[in-house]
Amino acid sequence: MVTAAMAADERVRQKPARLGVDATGLRPRPSRWPWIALLSAVAWMGLGASAQAEDGYALWLRYQPLSTEVGVGQTASATQLVVPVETPVLASARDELLRGLSGLLGVVPTLSDDVTQAGAIVIGTPASSALVRGFGIDTAGLGSEGYAIRNVVVDGHPVVAIVGDADAGVLYGAFHFLRLLQTQQPIDALDIREVPKVSLRVLNHWDDLNRYVERGYAGQSIWDWHRLPGWLDPRYTDYARANASIGINGAVLNNVNANAQILTPMYLEKVAALAGVLRPWGMRVYLSARFSAPMEIDGLETADPLDPRVQQWWRDKTAEIYASIPDFGGFLVKANSEGQPGPQDYGRSHAEGANMLADALAPHDGVVMWRAFVYSDEEPDDRHKQAYNEFVPLDGRFRDNVLVQVKNGAIDFQPREPFHPLFGAMPATPLVMEFQITKEYLGFSTHLAYLGPLYEEVLRADTHAVGAGSTVAKVVDGSLHGHALSGIAGVANIGSDRNWSGSHFDQANWFAYGRLAWDPEAASRDIAEDWVRMTFSNDPAFVEPVVGMMMASREAVVDYTGALGLHHLMGRGHHYGPGPWVEGGPRADWTSVYYHRATREGIGFDRTTRGSDAVSQYVPSVAAMFEDVERVPEHFLLWFHHVPWTHRVSSGRTVWDELVHRYDRGVGTVVGMQATWDTLAPHVDAERHRQVAAFLAIQQQEAEWWRDASIAYFQSISGLPLPAGHVSPVRTLEYYRSLEFPHAPGDTQ
Ligand code: GCW
């Protein structure tokens, strides 16, 4: 039996001569800091998780030595890794355990197909291994992805068993076990049973074939299409590992604003090559399908879903895909939205379009994820209402292998939105939750905004669809309406940047998304804590303040971009920075003035029964709450109500004073995060510390810019004086309005 601390000791004891650390004087001493420094020196010299890990590439899978950092005391038994049967997925689990245990414990476990030592770790399924069967662990109910982790005894040897009913479960269990070590949890009384609540847990890449990433802030697309299939960048494997570690089991490789070429033989060969890399990590590939592909690829005159030639084209195309990708997941479709082609071009409904593709996929067990993010070229009275109006009448008319994919809110991934009224309103249809991980509206990659609380807030919202407790999470996991098929999608924040997500803290949003996809009822704070421990340090002196920063960060963005339910106030096109004055242009619902409706008298969008009546799309008890200006949650006040500037909120302040107060508060939170981060330098490698500090400085400047520009603008409308103690914006409104960012990421010009 090897204890984690002992293993680390051992390793360090064995190495100093070679490392020459004797000469540095960094010998283990009773004091903690030099000891940690020694361990970092070991890692830095290429014997640990490698020096490069600290550029963020290793994500939360750094596997740094379990040092004498506070808290190491548990027994980690890892001298032997027993893998009785090898399959591609079990080989992934084995490799990850080898990698993880070697890094964490400093000893490379011996591989074996039978237990001969105390402290062994055994992985496998009862179906494929008599040894695993002998544990008597009940795997019924674990399904194709669940797992159990238990301490068992084999021939008198205590061992850790990581068991699934299928290989993917074992893989997820292996990652869970490593996470326990990484976060310094006790592992001597393990009785873990985990089954994912949602079946399809996918990333949506908005990646174009030329490697441009729509709303991407982390470099180019990681898919190097030109060099595929000949060159399989090792990054693809690391991408799959990272996803498997948090339970993500699918990826839609290309942008929903799709190019039909992805469905041509040349690209399908590349897609098949990627599928081959992802498969051993439990991931399937999906593609965004352009509805007019039959016309663009093969010159058909129409893409009418009721035309037999079109139907045959999709059947043939689908069969062609499955010939080289037998586990292909299916199609994601954005149709009749923002200029994309779709069934309505032929007078057909979304259901007719989706069902045509579903019929082509059904023989192969593929699914269609049909997006509900639609809004027509004719302007509706309130864009909030359109998806509901179009999709609710279609409930019950979709094939069994169609899921309708709904954004978390009715407008568009704003820093805060009420849950989308479609959740709970289509009981006969599985609804996929679509979250945005990339931060199009929350400061791109430079603002620290942990999205866990945003996701959690939406998932825990109560639709009241079948009485109290009908949470969005229960709609999404299928339990509310009894759907076996369920799904969740996250618009990826992954790119070619060395740290994958553009900033170190944005990695946490990928991590949190995966963990909440696995269990939509998990707590975002717990997830943040795991992430901090795995990504940076287990030291409570670091973990506590950083989790605190993360948990407050999203609210700070809400505060400095527009609180109390204000939304869609950013710059036109690129969505960078404040633009509350944006008006005119092709359509009203692409402007800010449409959403805030500020006048001399008041502010807010009246969505009550007296206004656009969007409230009536929620079930009556929820609608009644939103309708009532006294009962509406204050953070949605201006989302649902147009109120006088002098309307009083719970603080006793007027709406005007409260907005100003919140703008200040948001900036203040950012200043506080900077101060906290500055004190944490001793806990973080210099490279990552420096970048986070620099990004926080950008965030502070931009938060002040948001505050000052917004106050200057709204004051020009309200004509009200600033509350006492508040300093006027540093520049004139004209100055803020004159700023242009022609090459900001996402600029559509
Ligand atoms: O939020 C908007 C984005 C578009 C995006 C669209 C969508 C892919 O600004 O860039 O297009 O949503 O979700 O389809």
Side-chain angles (χ1 to χ4, degrees), residues 245-269:
S245 76
I246 49 176
I248 290 172
N249 65 4
V252 184
L253 302 179
N254 61 319
N255 192 350
V256 288
N257 290 330
N259 186 326
Q261 281 165 1
I262 193 79
L263 298 175
T264 59
M266 179 173 85
Y267 276 94
L268 289 176
E269 197 186 345

Side-chain angles (χ1 to χ4, degrees), residues 503-570:
S503 84
H504 296 293
F505 273 89
D506 278 344
Q507 297 177 354
N509 294 328
W510 177 8
F511 183 86
Y513 164 72
R515 295 287 298 279
L516 282 162
W518 180 278
D519 178 6
E521 287 168 335
S524 63
R525 172 178 286 275
D526 297 346
I527 295 170
E529 183 174 332
D530 276 354
W531 179 80
V532 171
R533 287 171 172 274
M534 296 163 83
T535 307
F536 289 107
S537 163
N538 278 295
D539 189 336
F542 180 83
V543 175
E544 282 166 30
V546 176
V547 170
M549 282 168 57
M550 290 170 73
M551 293 306 291
S553 59
R554 178 271 192 138
E555 204 61 41
V557 178
V558 171
D559 279 348
Y560 63 70
T561 61
L564 300 180
L566 288 177
H567 52 287
H568 210 288
L569 299 167
M570 61 290 146

Side-chain angles (χ1 to χ4, degrees), residues 569-606:
L569 299 167
M570 61 290 146
R572 195 197 294 270
H574 46 60
H575 300 164
Y576 172 61
W581 45 79
V582 169
E583 61 186 339
R587 47 187 299 161
D589 55 359
W590 284 356
T591 68
S592 304
V593 296
Y594 172 88
Y595 292 100
H596 65 65
R597 305 200 169 201
T599 64
R600 190 90 181 160
E601 284 71 43
I603 183 168
F605 197 135
D606 185 358

Side-chain angles (χ1 to χ4, degrees), residues 54 79 482 539:
E54 303 311 314
T79 48
D539 189 336

Side-chain angles (χ1 to χ4, degrees), residues 17 27 118 128 137 220 347 386 481 512 514 528 570 587 593 651 656 703 722:
R27 279 187 174 285
S128 62
I137 296 173
Q220 288 192 296
Q386 189 159 347
H481 297 122
M570 61 290 146
R587 47 187 299 161
V593 296
S651 63
W656 167 246
L722 288 170

Side-chain angles (χ1 to χ4, degrees), residues 391-472:
F391 277 85
V392 168
L394 300 178
D395 191 30
R397 290 178 44 199
F398 291 98
R399 298 281 192 268
D400 288 347
N401 59 335
V402 176
L403 304 99
V404 169
Q405 181 163 316
V406 182
K407 287 188 181 183
N408 60 273
I411 300 299
D412 196 10
F413 300 135
Q414 299 302 296
R416 172 169 276 125
E417 295 195 33
F419 70 87
H420 201 299
L422 275 173
F423 291 109
M426 294 184 68
T429 312
L431 298 186
V432 174
M433 165 64 75
E434 180 176 314
F435 283 128
Q436 198 175 44
I437 309 172
T438 188
K439 303 203 315 297
E440 176 180 355
Y441 297 102
L442 288 99
F444 297 3
S445 61
T446 44
H447 293 211
L448 197 166
Y450 172 53
L451 301 181
L454 186 162
Y455 303 155
E456 180 179 324
E457 180 178 299
V458 176
L459 289 165
R460 293 192 179 191
D462 195 346
T463 70
H464 284 258
V466 205
S470 304
T471 60
V472 171

Side-chain angles (χ1 to χ4, degrees), residues 331-349:
F331 295 129
L332 170 65
V333 186
K334 171 176 178 178
N336 294 118
S337 170
E338 301 186 322
Q340 294 299 309
Q344 292 176 339
D345 302 347
Y346 309 95
R348 314 300 183 194
S349 72

